[in-house]
Amino acid sequence: MPDASILGLPLANPVIVGSGLLTDQERNIRRLVERGAGAVVTKTIHPNPPQGLDERIIRLPVGMLNSTTYSKRSVNHWLDVLRSFADDRLPVIASLHADSPAELAALAKDVETTGCQALELGISCLNEEEGLEDDNPDRVYAYTSETRGRTTLPLSVKLAVGEGLQDRVRAAIAGGADAITLSDTIGGAAVDPATGRLELNGVFGYSGPGLKPLVLAAVWQLRRRGVELPIMGCGGVSSGRDVADYLSVGANVAQVYTALHTDMYETLERIVAETRDLTGSSAGAPLPAETPQEAAI
Ligand SMILES: Cc1cc2nc3c(=O)[nH]c(=O)nc-3n(C[C@H](O)[C@H](O)[C@H](O)COP(=O)(O)O)c2cc1C
């Protein structure tokens, strides 16, 4: 498979492992790269992650709910780990967030000193206590522009599909983003049949196959409206077909996360192999007009 690239990183293939619990450990990240990931995004690193929350995952018949927030590992731990990844030239993207734009910018500056080559701003997690109700273009602009002002590293701004997406994308572009990651989880809920109450006691991040049509539509609409920035499509990828679909609507690469909670390495290898078979020599470009898979739709 020829090279794809994103954020200046040359990629062996367009399948990137997204940020989450599975990427909170150095060992997992190294193995995911060994097993074929084009790149891996770390769990979101945060100088002051919320403490004492009930952070859990629940598998649904389709997809997953999770109430996790940010890595509980210290920034210093992550700086050491990122340094060792850089020494070994591993394609790892550091996911970062902080309590204020100034703190995020300072964190980005520290991460730059490790030799890490690319950042993703994980600013759209809805699992904090306030539930990200204040998400809006001004907030996106503030985090993006302040970080852009302190680091020259290429950065992707991670957003969630939903209300006001176009304006949030424009705010990220105006703030100096080099790419957009779409999508983070969206608000979901499930009822515990035993109690009739909400699982996890509230609305938390939904991920998995149900997200894919929503994100495909959003990426397609962004392209149609003239957004040219590279896009990392993310949501519900569990096969090479899903990756190819993201590339077809205009994403440059695709991220996979929830699917990897089942047989992590084998699932990744399968998705990478299927992607190679389907996209052949055209990673990042539309599929040929007629492929055997079209007959199956
Ligand atoms: C358990 C879990 C933890 C996650 N943690 C993070 C995180 O720390 N930072 C982040 O940007 N996204 C996080 N995500 C979101 C994923 O990176 C991804 O955007 C989302 O799950 C949609 O992709 P998927 O359907 O392939 O899982 C998490 C998702 C799950 C399920």
Side-chain angles (χ1 to χ4, degrees), residues 18-21 43-44 57 64 66 68-70 95 120 122 158 183-185 207-209 211 234-237 255-259 261:
S19 174
L21 291 178
K43 176 79 178 154
T44 300
I57 63 174
M64 186 181 271
N66 90 87
T68 75
T69 58
Y70 310 113
S95 171
E120 183 175 271
K158 188 165 181 178
S183 170
D184 208 318
T185 58
S207 61
L211 262 185
C234 180
V237 168
Q255 293 190 4
V256 50
Y257 184 73
T258 294
H261 273 256

Side-chain angles (χ1 to χ4, degrees), residues 204-262:
F204 289 101
Y206 174 74
S207 61
L211 262 185
K212 185 187 149 196
L214 312 183
V215 184
L216 283 182
V219 173
W220 187 81
Q221 282 170 336
L222 288 172
R223 290 300 187 221
R224 203 155 178 233
R225 290 172 189 171
V227 172
E228 290 177 352
L229 215 61
I231 296 176
M232 295 198 254
C234 180
V237 168
S238 62
S239 69
R241 179 78 228 174
D242 296 325
V243 175
D245 288 351
Y246 272 108
L247 302 184
S248 289
V249 297
N252 298 70
V253 297
Q255 293 190 4
V256 50
Y257 184 73
T258 294
L260 302 183
H261 273 256
T262 304

Side-chain angles (χ1 to χ4, degrees), residues 100-142:
S100 71
E103 277 181 57
L104 181 56
L107 176 60
K109 188 88 196 133
D110 287 344
V111 166
E112 188 169 3
T113 65
T114 67
C116 176
Q117 296 292 302
L119 306 178
E120 183 175 271
L121 305 190
I123 62 173
S124 299
C125 174
L126 58 80
N127 294 339
E128 289 192 65
E129 273 166 309
E130 310 80 40
L132 206 61
E133 277 166 10
D134 63 342
D135 197 21
N136 60 55
D138 291 345
R139 178 180 173 281
V140 172
Y141 179 79

